[in-house]
Amino acid sequence: MRITVNRNADTPIYLQIKNQLRDMIFSGVLPVDFLLPPERSLARELGVNRSTVIKAYQELKADGLADSHVGKGTVVLPQTARVPAAADRYINPLPWYQLFTESITASHDTIISDIMARTGRDVISFAGGIPAPGLYPVAVLEEIQAELFRTAGQELFLHSPVEGCYPLRESIVQLLRQRQIAAAAKDIVVLSGSQQGLDFAARIFIRPGDTVIVEEPTFFGAIQIFRSAGARVIGVPIDKDGLRTDVLEALLVRHKPKFIYTLPTFQNPSGISLSLQRRYELLDLAYQHQLPILEDDPYGELYYDTTPVPSLKALDRHGYVIYLSTFSKALFLGLRVGWVTAPPQVLAKFAHLKQMTDLHVNTPAQLLLDAFIRRGHYERHVARLRQEYAGRRNAMLKALDKYKVPGIGWNKPAGGYYIWCRLPDNIVRHKLVANAAKRGVVFLPGEAFYPDGTQGDTHIRLNYTFAEPEQIDNGIKYLLQAVKETTCANYEEECQHALKPLV
Amino acid sequence: MRITVNRNADTPIYLQIKNQLRDMIFSGVLPVDFLLPPERSLARELGVNRSTVIKAYQELKADGLADSHVGKGTVVLPQTARVPAAADRYINPLPWYQLFTESITASHDTIISDIMARTGRDVISFAGGIPAPGLYPVAVLEEIQAELFRTAGQELFLHSPVEGCYPLRESIVQLLRQRQIAAAAKDIVVLSGSQQGLDFAARIFIRPGDTVIVEEPTFFGAIQIFRSAGARVIGVPIDKDGLRTDVLEALLVRHKPKFIYTLPTFQNPSGISLSLQRRYELLDLAYQHQLPILEDDPYGELYYDTTPVPSLKALDRHGYVIYLSTFSKALFLGLRVGWVTAPPQVLAKFAHLKQMTDLHVNTPAQLLLDAFIRRGHYERHVARLRQEYAGRRNAMLKALDKYKVPGIGWNKPAGGYYIWCRLPDNIVRHKLVANAAKRGVVFLPGEAFYPDGTQGDTHIRLNYTFAEPEQIDNGIKYLLQAVKETTCANYEEECQHALKPLV
């Protein structure tokens, strides 16, 4: 029996025992007719006198909570008198779905989580956006963590400032300097991943009915969160130089969007980067139309051929760019640390939301990352990733070429995580995920990356950072076998059905 | 000069150098007339042939980006032709405040962060809700962390499931069992503190204009977040038995609230607990009016006299209660880990919001807490806290009695973190914070804890867990000196002013 006795408390011990038994009776932990332990054995268990337990049981009986019968012991009585009237009535279950807000009720697409759930040990996964676990610098982190326990001690578990630990903000300033972005520690707010930055941007800017412009295709998590805030999400097509600024201009005039969300460098899912010329054009359009730019840069440091052109934030001279980045792609996802740098008025709103929604980012993660950067490990690690990931990208490109089937096409990304792959026209698209999974390969279909889901079914996204290099060749082989199998020839009925006129 | 050379890349090295210089020129890192390093010294720095650097400089010159003069070296040219037309125009700054949503524009109260900022080493702080740093079990955590590096390795830094690591959810089930709450691991979603649970509840239930009922006084963070979601926040008064169910009934009929938010056990800020009889009455009212109950229980395990009565969640038989709790008060704030247990329809919405807003809680913190609980450290630690905090509470009660001034009053909390202290009537309330701070003592004024800020100025909240036991006596002495000083007698002008009729 789970009863605790506190000898330092003001309440007498017999009353402590009685109160705990009473609570267990009220809450149903001890049901009606439950036989309480004999006084002697409970006394022994609790290390108290038998007379103390006897007194506790007497109190219970006096309250009408229990009764004793010679030869039977002390049993719990029914609590009809104490249980509120409600217990006898029929209680309606709560109509939860009617209580939910519209934005939260709206069905959320489970296709991505369904596919992610298939990522087991026996599966070759090209689906996630996850850095290679085998490359995590675990030994270095172990050493730093042990040292932090010695030097920081209890500070590791104290709360941090809302905006983030100052040393980490200084370290982030150094990272930004390498990206040619001039910022001071005061210009940084540390967030729980750049994902949280997207959520906060939505809360800061979007009123239901507002329009937001995104690239088409773009990161599905951004579409989801902007839409959930009530935004109308409009896509701008991309070509080999990134988002088409000529189309954007027309859309700005027509829709007066609240902001534009862009991943200009090694874009997710296409791997394409916005050219320098287009960057200047985009900034110029933003200045003309007073359009804030939300720049998301998780992949910019992961270049495999030549350094990318500067970020929009680096090129902006008029404070129009809100810049998000993260440690999730260059290090690992598990710490959930990203950051935002933005003009001071906007940054104050990010800090306000951080304070209001979850106070601050996990302290030990901030101290760990700061030490990791300060000692030069970050730069070395990213340099190593560039080599490793370039190799995996090349392996995937080679395999695609080796096993290619008619009608398939793909780009050669200069950095980042993904190859964007066009499917043959004669494929039965909705069967491909299942057919590939049967062969042990998962990937993400393109639909999720389009604000209007119907347009993406011509493409799939292939990640090359997570799978082991020796799996990549096989994975692409099986995938392209699945593509070959999933043609109309093999699904004649479905394809014929698609041709029947609707009359 | 920050240039990196990748010998494995497909791009020739001279082009890599040229491209990086070009980017630095475009982004302004290298300004007009900047003197590039002599070819020989840059070649040495990068470990390449001098001819490679010469070729890179030639390319720059061919692009019109630089020029060489005998005896002067290579200098950066002005980029008029390349800079977009915008650079010459006047660019309007963005009208950020017009772009923000209403809820985010609404002024947020900075009084609490101002007071918290005063918590330095030379200040005796009764202001925060922070567990005693000296009691953090740092040595045990260090040992567990070192072991986790050996056993979990890279898993420490991998992403976790959205709902939380399964082992931690199992451990939380054990904690809940001790609180007489029956739940399974599938009924738990791990959150970034229970604060995040409040935010998610607001997003799930509140449409602008909805009403939410709270205790009066209540946790200021809850008032802030419900209001920011557009809710009208209505208070129910509390007495010595907690929230007044008789008043609540009338409010339910009148306002049809979306839910009631309650801290039934060792309430923040009053320290009061809802009696068992009132708990049954509250549940009965909820059942009658189909009212969801959002129960917040950060302090329930920190009882100092006798075990508290069961939580509402433990007493609820019809799935009306959403239960939030956290490790922030019984362990420490810095890890930012809390959880929710709720009926499955509601729990699915919490998980959906977690996925959408920040994916999951920091993985190493989850694994650390799980091991800490599983090995019995949590239970031992909380038992130790009960003793220590009981001592600090008693010290504060003793000091209040010792230094009391006429007109002051306070309750004796049976658990939790706070003493709720009534001020004398003749005090100039808005001067008290500053006068106490001058004496090196900080606390929280009562206003923040009332939905209608004007009612709380008769009380202040005193935390007794953070200050060292030997500081408590002095702190209360200085505080009550400040109270004595801040009477109308000493601020005659202001008090007279307050009496002038507005004509």
Short mmCIF file of all heavy atoms in Angstrom, two decimals, chain A residues 87-108:
data_model
loop_
_atom_site.label_atom_id
_atom_site.label_comp_id
_atom_site.label_asym_id
_atom_site.label_seq_id
_atom_site.Cartn_x
_atom_site.Cartn_y
_atom_site.Cartn_z
N ALA A 87 -22.93 11.23 -10.29
CA ALA A 87 -22.53 9.85 -10.53
C ALA A 87 -23.71 8.97 -10.93
O ALA A 87 -23.54 7.98 -11.62
CB ALA A 87 -21.85 9.29 -9.30
N ASP A 88 -24.91 9.33 -10.47
CA ASP A 88 -26.06 8.51 -10.78
C ASP A 88 -26.68 8.86 -12.13
O ASP A 88 -27.35 8.06 -12.75
CB ASP A 88 -27.13 8.69 -9.69
CG ASP A 88 -26.67 8.07 -8.40
OD1 ASP A 88 -25.87 7.12 -8.46
OD2 ASP A 88 -27.10 8.55 -7.34
N ARG A 89 -26.44 10.09 -12.55
CA ARG A 89 -27.02 10.54 -13.80
C ARG A 89 -26.22 10.01 -14.98
O ARG A 89 -25.07 9.59 -14.84
CB ARG A 89 -26.97 12.07 -13.87
CG ARG A 89 -27.94 12.76 -12.94
CD ARG A 89 -27.97 14.25 -13.26
NE ARG A 89 -26.82 14.94 -12.71
CZ ARG A 89 -25.80 15.42 -13.39
NH1 ARG A 89 -25.75 15.25 -14.71
NH2 ARG A 89 -24.82 16.06 -12.81
N TYR A 90 -26.82 10.10 -16.16
CA TYR A 90 -26.05 9.83 -17.37
C TYR A 90 -25.27 11.10 -17.70
O TYR A 90 -25.85 12.18 -17.80
CB TYR A 90 -26.96 9.46 -18.54
CG TYR A 90 -26.18 9.38 -19.82
CD1 TYR A 90 -25.31 8.30 -20.05
CD2 TYR A 90 -26.26 10.39 -20.78
CE1 TYR A 90 -24.56 8.23 -21.20
CE2 TYR A 90 -25.52 10.32 -21.94
CZ TYR A 90 -24.68 9.24 -22.15
OH TYR A 90 -23.93 9.17 -23.28
N ILE A 91 -23.96 10.98 -17.81
CA ILE A 91 -23.13 12.14 -18.14
C ILE A 91 -22.86 12.12 -19.64
O ILE A 91 -22.36 11.13 -20.17
CB ILE A 91 -21.78 12.08 -17.39
CG1 ILE A 91 -22.00 11.88 -15.89
CG2 ILE A 91 -20.95 13.33 -17.69
CD1 ILE A 91 -22.56 13.06 -15.17
N ASN A 92 -23.18 13.19 -20.32
CA ASN A 92 -22.91 13.27 -21.75
C ASN A 92 -21.40 13.34 -21.99
O ASN A 92 -20.70 14.07 -21.30
CB ASN A 92 -23.52 14.53 -22.35
CG ASN A 92 -24.99 14.34 -22.61
OD1 ASN A 92 -25.37 13.45 -23.36
ND2 ASN A 92 -25.81 15.15 -21.96
N PRO A 93 -20.91 12.60 -22.95
CA PRO A 93 -19.51 12.81 -23.31
C PRO A 93 -19.36 14.20 -23.91
O PRO A 93 -20.33 14.76 -24.44
CB PRO A 93 -19.23 11.73 -24.35
CG PRO A 93 -20.56 11.33 -24.88
CD PRO A 93 -21.58 11.62 -23.82
N LEU A 94 -18.16 14.77 -23.80
CA LEU A 94 -17.96 16.12 -24.34
C LEU A 94 -17.95 16.08 -25.87
O LEU A 94 -17.32 15.21 -26.46
CB LEU A 94 -16.64 16.70 -23.86
CG LEU A 94 -16.71 17.53 -22.59
CD1 LEU A 94 -15.33 18.01 -22.20
CD2 LEU A 94 -17.62 18.73 -22.80
N PRO A 95 -18.63 17.01 -26.53
CA PRO A 95 -18.60 17.06 -28.00
C PRO A 95 -17.32 17.77 -28.45
O PRO A 95 -17.36 18.90 -28.94
CB PRO A 95 -19.85 17.86 -28.34
CG PRO A 95 -20.03 18.78 -27.17
CD PRO A 95 -19.48 18.07 -25.97
N TRP A 96 -16.17 17.10 -28.27
CA TRP A 96 -14.88 17.77 -28.47
C TRP A 96 -14.77 18.44 -29.83
O TRP A 96 -14.29 19.56 -29.96
CB TRP A 96 -13.73 16.77 -28.31
CG TRP A 96 -13.48 16.33 -26.90
CD1 TRP A 96 -13.70 15.07 -26.39
CD2 TRP A 96 -12.97 17.11 -25.80
NE1 TRP A 96 -13.35 15.02 -25.05
CE2 TRP A 96 -12.90 16.26 -24.68
CE3 TRP A 96 -12.57 18.44 -25.68
CZ2 TRP A 96 -12.43 16.70 -23.44
CZ3 TRP A 96 -12.11 18.87 -24.45
CH2 TRP A 96 -12.04 18.01 -23.34
N TYR A 97 -15.22 17.72 -30.88
CA TYR A 97 -14.99 18.26 -32.23
C TYR A 97 -15.71 19.58 -32.45
O TYR A 97 -15.25 20.42 -33.22
CB TYR A 97 -15.34 17.23 -33.30
CG TYR A 97 -14.35 16.09 -33.29
CD1 TYR A 97 -14.65 14.87 -32.69
CD2 TYR A 97 -13.07 16.26 -33.83
CE1 TYR A 97 -13.71 13.85 -32.65
CE2 TYR A 97 -12.13 15.25 -33.78
CZ TYR A 97 -12.45 14.04 -33.20
OH TYR A 97 -11.52 13.05 -33.14
N GLN A 98 -16.82 19.77 -31.75
CA GLN A 98 -17.51 21.06 -31.88
C GLN A 98 -16.78 22.17 -31.15
O GLN A 98 -16.98 23.35 -31.41
CB GLN A 98 -18.92 20.95 -31.33
CG GLN A 98 -19.81 20.10 -32.21
CD GLN A 98 -21.18 19.91 -31.59
OE1 GLN A 98 -21.69 20.80 -30.94
NE2 GLN A 98 -21.75 18.73 -31.79
N LEU A 99 -15.94 21.78 -30.18
CA LEU A 99 -15.24 22.78 -29.37
C LEU A 99 -13.95 23.25 -30.02
O LEU A 99 -13.41 24.29 -29.68
CB LEU A 99 -14.94 22.21 -27.98
CG LEU A 99 -16.15 21.84 -27.12
CD1 LEU A 99 -15.73 21.06 -25.90
CD2 LEU A 99 -16.90 23.11 -26.70
N PHE A 100 -13.42 22.46 -30.97
CA PHE A 100 -12.14 22.82 -31.58
C PHE A 100 -12.30 24.03 -32.51
O PHE A 100 -13.35 24.22 -33.13
CB PHE A 100 -11.57 21.65 -32.40
CG PHE A 100 -11.23 20.44 -31.57
CD1 PHE A 100 -11.28 19.17 -32.12
CD2 PHE A 100 -10.85 20.56 -30.23
CE1 PHE A 100 -10.97 18.04 -31.37
CE2 PHE A 100 -10.53 19.44 -29.47
CZ PHE A 100 -10.59 18.18 -30.05
N THR A 101 -11.23 24.83 -32.65
CA THR A 101 -11.26 25.94 -33.60
C THR A 101 -11.20 25.38 -35.03
O THR A 101 -10.77 24.25 -35.24
CB THR A 101 -10.05 26.87 -33.39
OG1 THR A 101 -8.87 26.10 -33.53
CG2 THR A 101 -10.07 27.48 -32.01
N GLU A 102 -11.62 26.18 -35.99
CA GLU A 102 -11.66 25.70 -37.38
C GLU A 102 -10.28 25.27 -37.86
O GLU A 102 -10.11 24.24 -38.50
CB GLU A 102 -12.16 26.79 -38.34
CG GLU A 102 -13.63 27.12 -38.21
CD GLU A 102 -13.88 28.09 -37.07
OE1 GLU A 102 -12.91 28.49 -36.40
OE2 GLU A 102 -15.05 28.43 -36.84
N SER A 103 -9.27 26.09 -37.56
CA SER A 103 -7.97 25.81 -38.14
C SER A 103 -7.42 24.50 -37.63
O SER A 103 -6.67 23.81 -38.31
CB SER A 103 -6.99 26.95 -37.83
OG SER A 103 -6.76 27.03 -36.45
N ILE A 104 -7.79 24.13 -36.42
CA ILE A 104 -7.25 22.91 -35.84
C ILE A 104 -8.09 21.70 -36.26
O ILE A 104 -7.62 20.58 -36.29
CB ILE A 104 -7.16 23.04 -34.30
CG1 ILE A 104 -6.10 22.11 -33.75
CG2 ILE A 104 -8.47 22.76 -33.61
CD1 ILE A 104 -4.73 22.62 -33.94
N THR A 105 -9.35 21.95 -36.60
CA THR A 105 -10.21 20.86 -37.02
C THR A 105 -9.86 20.39 -38.43
O THR A 105 -9.93 19.21 -38.74
CB THR A 105 -11.70 21.29 -37.00
OG1 THR A 105 -11.94 21.95 -35.77
CG2 THR A 105 -12.62 20.10 -37.13
N ALA A 106 -9.44 21.36 -39.27
CA ALA A 106 -9.17 21.06 -40.67
C ALA A 106 -8.26 19.84 -40.75
O ALA A 106 -7.26 19.77 -40.07
CB ALA A 106 -8.50 22.26 -41.33
N SER A 107 -8.65 18.90 -41.57
CA SER A 107 -7.92 17.63 -41.65
C SER A 107 -6.47 17.93 -41.95
O SER A 107 -6.14 18.79 -42.76
CB SER A 107 -8.48 16.80 -42.78
OG SER A 107 -7.98 17.27 -44.01
N HIS A 108 -5.59 17.25 -41.29
CA HIS A 108 -4.19 17.43 -41.64
C HIS A 108 -3.70 16.19 -42.37
O HIS A 108 -4.08 15.06 -42.08
CB HIS A 108 -3.33 17.80 -40.44
CG HIS A 108 -3.13 16.70 -39.46
ND1 HIS A 108 -4.08 16.34 -38.55
CD2 HIS A 108 -2.07 15.90 -39.25
CE1 HIS A 108 -3.60 15.35 -37.82
NE2 HIS A 108 -2.40 15.05 -38.21
#
